Amino acid sequence: MNTVSKKLCLIIASTAFIFAGCSKKPKRPDPSATVLGPNTGGAINPEAVAVTADTTSTLEQRPDGVIETADMIKGLLGAVYFDFDKSNIKEPERAKIQAAKDYLAKNPTYRILFEGHCDWRGTDEYNLSLGDRRATAAKKYLISLGVAADKVESNSKGSLEAKKNAADDEMAKDRRAEIIVLKK
């Protein structure tokens, strides 16, 4: 095959490829022809939705701020708060760990994870260490209440979720050990 016929074949193949790849854009329907109509703004009228009570459901209503997945429940038990640069458990916070013990007694297949947090001040390494000390202190206290050690875990997040340059009241909320219920 000579070079002219090779070039001609290449041009024909390129043209076929270009036209084969092009397709027309789909035509959008008129908004008045859609289910929601032109003036609903994409929202469903809540009064038009029939609500039926399911009396056979085994689901229970969770309070606001509680996150539940197939593996864990976060926010059900209140967080244990700490003073600045401290990992000792204050007297008023001990009731929250007692509540975790009581919850485990009612749900013996579950476990508890203490997740240690810090405010934004300090180095990453120091905050991870402080978060670990806070989570470990809460873990040891729960074990001292009679919970089996294999039912309790600890982890440190350090200042990963802390608000940077936050006010004092916001930083106080960052100095905590979250109590997370592990289902599996």
Side-chain angles (χ1 to χ4, degrees), residues 102-180:
D102 297 341
Y103 189 82
L104 281 179
K106 293 176 186 172
N107 301 283
T109 60
Y110 292 173
R111 295 174 295 127
I112 294 291
L113 167 66
F114 289 103
E115 191 176 77
H117 295 265
C118 301
D119 61 36
W120 65 277
R121 296 173 287 186
T123 65
D124 290 340
E125 295 82 12
Y126 181 80
N127 286 341
L128 277 173
S129 175
L130 180 58
D132 184 56
R133 289 193 306 270
R134 288 174 174 168
T136 301
K139 175 183 175 179
K140 287 181 179 178
Y141 187 76
L142 184 59
I143 291 170
S144 76
L145 294 176
V147 174
D150 64 341
K151 292 283 199 179
V152 189
E153 297 179 28
S154 63
N155 185 30
S156 177
K157 290 265 186 136
S159 58
L160 292 175
E161 297 176 1
K163 296 175 184 137
K164 304 289 184 217
N165 300 317
D168 287 340
D169 59 330
E170 291 173 321
M171 286 190 292
K173 293 177 184 174
D174 286 335
R175 297 187 296 264
R176 69 191 186 281
E178 290 279 340
I179 303 174
I180 300 171

Side-chain angles (χ1 to χ4, degrees), residues 4 9-10 18 30 33 43 54 60 135 148 153:
V4 174
C9 286
L10 182 63
I18 290 172
D30 181 36
D54 181 9
E60 57 185 272
E153 297 179 28

Side-chain angles (χ1 to χ4, degrees), residues 1 6 11 35 48:
M1 216 188 222
K6 285 183 182 178
I11 290 172
V35 174

